[in-house]
Amino acid sequence: MGIKDSYATIPRQWKFPKAILYLFAIELLIEIAALALFGIAQPDLYRTRLWQEGSDHGWNSNPNSIIYAYANYRPVHTPLPWSQFVTSFNVVIAVLALFLLLCKGIMYICHVFYPIISTPIHAALVALYAVSIHAQAASDMSDPDHPQPGAPWYITKSCGAPVKPSLQGYCKQAKGSFAVTIMLCVLFLVYFVLSLYSLLAPTALAIRSRKSSTASSDLESQQQRPWEMTHVQPPPTPGTTGGLKSPMTPRTTAFNTLSGKMGGGGKEKKSKMGMGKGKGKEVHKGPDGKVPLRHHISMGDAVYEGPHGKYT
């Protein structure tokens, strides 16, 4: 099996092509919301404030522990859910996902967005958003007096009282960012499953397309083979059994005409010279007074049977 045959066996049709369009529309709406939420939170609009609010209620560590670590020359360890890495990482993957969405739309319009291309793309996006979910819901065990074994308080608790009114809006934004991250991860997982299903269970159209592609490749390979004289009958040789007795081609006609003129003129001159001297053969003329032409130069002095009798 060659490279073309191997490429032809890859399914290029989606099992549910209309579902891809619906997924594009849903992804566009969620991506716009995610990019807006993550962009607003960049670089540190409410992360440290929510961290301090949780510390005031004893739900997590205190952000001032970093200052104490710097002052006492101790290793600085920022809990993962309160780190700058999470905020910047969310912005990067949101921009990347939106860029890939534009590329996927263009490829789908050009009929080149195959399941084999969709599978690794959405597998990578699922992994990236899974990392984001883990980072946003990570625990904070840096303060033994105020441990946080699970997700941060703005995810597990209500944004109402006893939270300060000035932070309740930021709490809702943080909740929304986490919810959008989960929705995108699930959406990309649906993409991934649909891509695998289209690869493993090809449609009837894909099967017909593969068969036609294989047939066309076979025909092309046959056309490229050397021409053989296996089923071609050569033309019959003139003068043989089943062939033409006297084929008349333009070249034969020209030579016969030229030979007839030269031969006829020479014989007539010799005949006249012979008659004047009393030598030679008498030329027999026809009833019309003309010397009949011989039908072929190879007859020589053979008998010519014309319309008015035989002549030599």
Side-chain angles (χ1 to χ4, degrees):
M1 182 180 292
I3 297 178
K4 292 184 178 180
D5 297 336
S6 301
Y7 180 70
T9 57
I10 300 176
R12 307 181 190 179
Q13 303 294 331
W14 289 92
K15 188 68 175 178
F16 304 102
K18 290 185 178 180
I20 300 299
L21 297 177
Y22 295 141
L23 290 176
F24 282 166
I26 296 172
E27 182 185 354
L28 178 62
L29 297 177
I30 302 177
E31 281 291 346
I32 293 175
L35 189 59
L37 290 172
F38 295 151
I40 291 173
Q42 177 74 12
D44 186 11
L45 178 62
Y46 52 78
R47 184 183 68 253
T48 304
R49 296 181 184 182
L50 296 179
W51 188 6
Q52 183 64 51
E53 181 69 16
S55 175
D56 295 342
H57 293 283
W59 296 334
N60 51 249
S61 62
N62 195 312
N64 294 329
S65 61
I66 299 177
I67 299 176
Y68 297 149
Y70 279 118
N72 297 312
Y73 299 99
R74 295 178 181 176
V76 178
H77 173 69
T78 304
L80 186 58
W82 310 114
S83 63
Q84 180 65 35
F85 166 76
V86 177
T87 306
S88 301
F89 183 77
N90 290 337
V91 174
V92 170
I93 62 175
V95 173
L96 177 63
L98 186 59
F99 173 74
L100 290 177
L101 176 61
L102 297 177
C103 295
K104 291 186 295 184
I106 295 173
M107 293 174 67
Y108 188 84
I109 294 174
C110 297
H111 304 286
V112 293
F113 186 58
Y114 303 140
I116 191 65
I117 300 176
S118 173
T119 302
I121 291 176
H122 293 104
L125 289 174
V126 168
L128 291 174
Y129 275 87
V131 172
S132 177
I133 293 173
H134 168 72
Q136 294 182 56
S139 60
D140 177 11
M141 306 299 290
S142 60
D143 189 354
D145 297 332
H146 302 90
Q148 175 198 311
W153 66 268
Y154 62 83
I155 296 176
T156 59
K157 301 181 183 301
S158 174
C159 293
V163 181
K164 295 177 183 179
S166 60
L167 297 178
Q168 290 180 3
Y170 294 144
C171 176
K172 293 178 182 179
Q173 288 185 24
K175 279 182 179 289
S177 300
F178 185 71
V180 165
T181 305
I182 295 177
M183 292 172 62
L184 284 174
C185 186
V186 173
L187 182 65
F188 293 139
L189 184 61
V190 173
Y191 271 116
F192 179 73
V193 172
L194 185 59
S195 301
L196 283 181
Y197 185 66
S198 300
L199 285 174
L200 300 178
T203 58
L205 180 60
I207 296 174
R208 290 197 298 268
S209 177
R210 274 187 282 172
K211 289 183 178 179
S212 61
S213 178
T214 304
S216 61
S217 63
D218 293 341
L219 180 60
E220 182 180 355
S221 62
Q222 290 178 2
Q223 291 177 351
Q224 292 178 353
R225 293 177 181 175
W227 185 70
E228 298 179 356
M229 294 287 293
T230 54
H231 301 288
V232 180
Q233 295 294 336
T237 304
T240 60
T241 304
L244 299 175
K245 292 298 183 179
S246 181
M248 298 298 293
T249 61
R251 177 178 291 184
T252 305
T253 305
F255 276 113
N256 290 345
T257 304
L258 182 60
S259 300
K261 288 181 179 180
M262 293 177 62
K267 289 182 178 291
E268 184 177 357
K269 187 175 181 181
K270 287 182 179 181
S271 299
K272 290 182 179 181
M273 292 175 62
M275 291 177 63
K277 297 179 180 180
K279 298 179 181 179
K281 294 176 60 178
E282 182 180 0
V283 179
H284 296 278
K285 298 183 179 180
D288 54 355
K290 297 181 179 180
V291 178
L293 294 175
R294 307 181 191 281
H295 79 288
H296 201 280
I297 191 65
S298 60
M299 293 178 60
D301 294 332
V303 177
Y304 170 72
E305 184 175 356
H308 302 287
K310 296 183 179 180
Y311 303 94
T312 57

